[in-house]
Amino acid sequence: MTAAPGDKPFSFLPDDPARAALALVLGFTLLRVAFAALLGFGVDESYTLGQARRLALSYFDHPPLHLWLAHASMAVFGTTWAVRLPFILLFAGTSWLLFALTRRLFGGWEGVWAVLALNASLFFLASPGTWIVPDGPLLFFLTAGMAALARLFFPWEGETPSAWIAWTLAGFCFGFAGLSKYSAVFVVAGLAIFLFATPHRRWLAHPAPYAGALVAVLAISPVIVWNIANDWVSLRFQAGRGGGRGLTLSAFAQMLAGQFVWLAPWIAVPLATIAAQNLARLKDERRLFLMALAAPTILYFTLQSLWSGWALPHWPMPGWFFAFPLLGAWMVANPAASPSPHAWARWSTALAVVLALGIGTLGATGLLTRLGVPSRADPTLDAFDWTALRPILAARGVARGSGPVVVGLTWNEGGKIDLAVGDAADVMVIGPDPRGFAFRQVRRAYQGADVLIVALAGTWARQQAALQGQFAVIGEPERLSIGRGGRPEIDLVIVPARGLKSLAPVSLAAR
């Protein structure tokens, strides 16, 4: 059957929606590969790769799945850009699952539009789509689980899906989503809302959902066991990030603006508008299903900024993810809208390509600083890898199995240092916020050790006085600058110190 002119986002796509969706997924996957090859590792990625060097049941900041995946990827690719490839391929799978889910709910071309909009969004193009972050596995398994249940809730004519298979597969997927990120619980809570609000509540009288819940608990058990052994420190850390600081309208405004920017304004406006319009169409169970999955995550993390005083705009994104099928359905139903959906598709895709390749090129070359932009104002500087440290520290005796321990002063600087030299030497962190480093540091093993402190010059200036009691002797700092293309962009210090007394503040020293 030939597609109508208004159905396809681009005339060159195949007439079959599945093939068209595959073509879009392939095209955006190639774009992500180019983006990944150009851009260095960000602060969070560097820290994650450092933590992933050592396998554990779970970790301080997040559940373990993306770290396990990073560990396996490093075994194949080392710490080159290619370590991102499994995450890129995982999001290609997520895009296909979104197509399959949208096709079941609304139709094939609706699924194609949803895939296009998702992949053209800045956040989904870059963060879960390319980077080594927990959101990639989270979205893959949430989408797979919801697609399995959608087949049960909304079967096509002639289908007789098995409740046992659907709920067991969903439980497995939700368990692995929980192994990816704690916020999976909000999307699963949305599923519960959908069940209670519709005749699908009848499934609660069937044993299959409870079998699926047991499978989910078994899947997430490594996180439970690790937290029990570590006084629930990971859950307490994440819960504490939403602590109350009083009414803060400025933080709420920043949260709204941040989501607007992260999604990309040309995606955010139609996505939010169409989601709001669907509030009047919740009698349609398909739309209620998606809105129930989306709403808890979006509302909680957005409103949380009102009392917490801060929040990160990527936290609500798993909720927005489930609004994309609604956007796809609207695009097919309104081909004559103004502005034209087809013009929107062309501009959105072009901007995604230009921004991905442009940001990647700026990050690879440091062009902004070459043009006179101060380093502190260069948003790509966080993606600058400190690889120049490796030969510098090697010249000072840092090598596998010998030489001093390398010490950072903050978790984020420690991540950058670890990425550069962590396979050649132990990297530890001293300071009030070591994050995951606190759970891999064997303090007794380094008692009395000689170390090389590596820090940004500003960090050293702030913490120098507090470090005096942690060493027998602290030497004179050696100053150096490193940057892209041989240009100095960041100022570091290397400080020799002898007689390590403590790697952590008193509150952690007993570990």
Side-chain angles (χ1 to χ4, degrees):
M1 180 178 178
T2 302
D7 290 340
K8 298 197 295 184
F10 304 109
S11 60
F12 60 79
L13 289 174
D15 286 340
D16 175 59
R19 292 174 58 205
L22 283 173
L24 287 177
V25 171
L26 176 61
F28 278 105
T29 298
L30 294 175
L31 176 62
R32 287 186 172 93
V33 169
F35 180 53
L38 286 168
L39 196 67
F41 295 109
V43 169
D44 285 344
E45 285 185 292
S46 300
Y47 170 75
T48 296
L49 289 172
Q51 299 302 304
R53 292 186 194 279
R54 295 168 172 82
L55 282 178
L57 284 178
S58 194
Y59 297 85
F60 174 76
D61 304 81
H62 292 292
L65 188 55
H66 73 297
L67 292 112
W68 292 347
L69 185 57
H71 180 90
S73 190
M74 282 194 292
V76 178
F77 301 112
T79 53
T80 67
W81 69 267
V83 77
R84 289 168 167 155
L85 286 175
F87 292 83
I88 294 172
L89 294 175
L90 197 64
F91 198 79
T94 301
S95 298
W96 176 256
L97 288 169
L98 181 72
F99 166 76
L101 176 63
T102 309
R103 177 176 59 180
R104 176 167 296 278
L105 297 177
F106 301 115
W109 288 110
E110 290 84 347
V112 173
W113 281 91
V115 167
L116 171 62
L118 175 76
N119 283 272
S121 165
L122 295 183
F123 174 78
F124 294 101
L125 176 66
S127 184
T130 306
W131 295 338
I132 302 166
V133 294
D135 301 77
L138 170 73
L139 291 175
F140 177 84
F141 285 106
L142 283 177
T143 315
M146 295 307 173
L149 290 179
R151 187 170 184 268
L152 182 66
F153 298 157
F154 310 105
W156 287 332
E157 185 177 352
E159 280 189 327
T160 54
S162 163
W164 285 102
I165 292 176
W167 282 106
T168 302
L169 180 57
F172 174 85
C173 290
F174 296 156
F176 272 72
L179 276 179
S180 303
K181 202 170 184 178
Y182 295 118
S183 60
V185 68
F186 291 101
V187 177
V188 176
L191 172 65
I193 292 171
F194 171 77
L195 290 173
F196 282 111
T198 65
H200 293 286
R201 69 179 71 90
R202 67 181 182 274
W203 290 114
L204 298 177
H206 193 286
Y210 305 99
L214 178 60
V215 170
V217 171
L218 291 174
I220 205 172
S221 60
V223 178
I224 299 171
V225 171
W226 187 91
N227 271 281
I228 290 173
N230 290 279
D231 195 27
W232 300 99
V233 65
S234 181
L235 289 171
R236 289 191 289 109
F237 167 70
Q238 292 294 352
R241 302 176 88 180
R245 300 181 187 176
L247 184 65
T248 50
L249 294 177
S250 60
F252 179 67
Q254 291 172 10
M255 183 61 161
L256 292 177
Q259 293 177 68
F260 184 79
V261 171
W262 257 120
L263 284 167
W266 49 93
I267 304 290
V269 171
L271 188 68
T273 301
I274 290 160
Q277 290 174 355
N278 274 274
L279 291 173
R281 305 180 67 180
L282 296 184
K283 290 183 178 180
D284 181 341
E285 287 187 358
R286 301 167 302 165
R287 298 175 187 275
L288 176 59
F289 179 62
L290 294 167
M291 291 292 286
L293 299 181
T297 309
I298 297 171
L299 292 176
Y300 175 78
F301 287 113
T302 301
L303 295 176
Q304 177 215 16
S305 63
L306 278 171
W307 68 80
S308 68
W310 76 290
L312 296 175
H314 70 272
W315 290 349
M317 292 300 159
W320 286 115
F321 176 88
F322 286 100
F324 279 97
L326 299 170
L327 178 58
W330 189 92
M331 291 292 183
V332 172
N334 296 273
S338 180
S340 163
H342 293 86
W344 173 87
R346 289 192 297 271
W347 279 103
S348 296
T349 304
L351 286 168
V353 172
V354 169
L355 286 170
L357 297 181
I359 292 171
T361 300
L362 290 176
T365 63
L367 182 60
L368 291 178
T369 57
R370 292 175 182 270
L371 295 175
V373 175
S375 295
R376 62 181 178 276
D378 182 354
T380 68
L381 192 60
D382 279 349
F384 161 53
D385 297 331
W386 296 6
T387 50
L389 273 177
R390 190 180 185 96
I392 293 171
L393 294 177
R396 287 154 181 78
V398 172
R400 180 179 295 277
S402 64
V405 178
V406 180
V407 170
L409 299 182
T410 66
W411 68 269
N412 47 352
E413 292 177 23
K416 286 291 189 182
I417 299 164
D418 202 359
L419 182 66
V421 302
D423 60 342
D426 288 326
V427 177
M428 302 300 169
V429 168
I430 294 175
D433 186 16
R435 302 282 175 101
F437 284 97
F439 295 86
R440 70 183 224 188
Q441 298 174 168
V442 183
R443 283 157 176 72
R444 289 186 295 274
Y446 296 100
Q447 195 75 22
D450 293 344
V451 309
L452 284 177
I453 301 170
V454 180
L456 289 173
T459 305
W460 168 253
R462 289 190 298 273
Q463 296 194 24
Q464 179 180 4
L467 294 171
Q468 298 301 318
Q470 292 182 268
F471 297 94
V473 178
I474 296 180
E476 290 297 317
E478 174 190 353
R479 301 185 180 275
L480 68 149
S481 296
I482 59 176
R484 291 163 287 192
R487 291 175 59 88
E489 293 182 281
I490 61 172
D491 297 321
L492 297 172
V493 296
I494 299 177
V495 187
R498 298 176 60 188
L500 175 64
K501 298 178 182 179
S502 171
L503 269 171
V506 174
S507 60
L508 287 176
R511 276 188 50 81

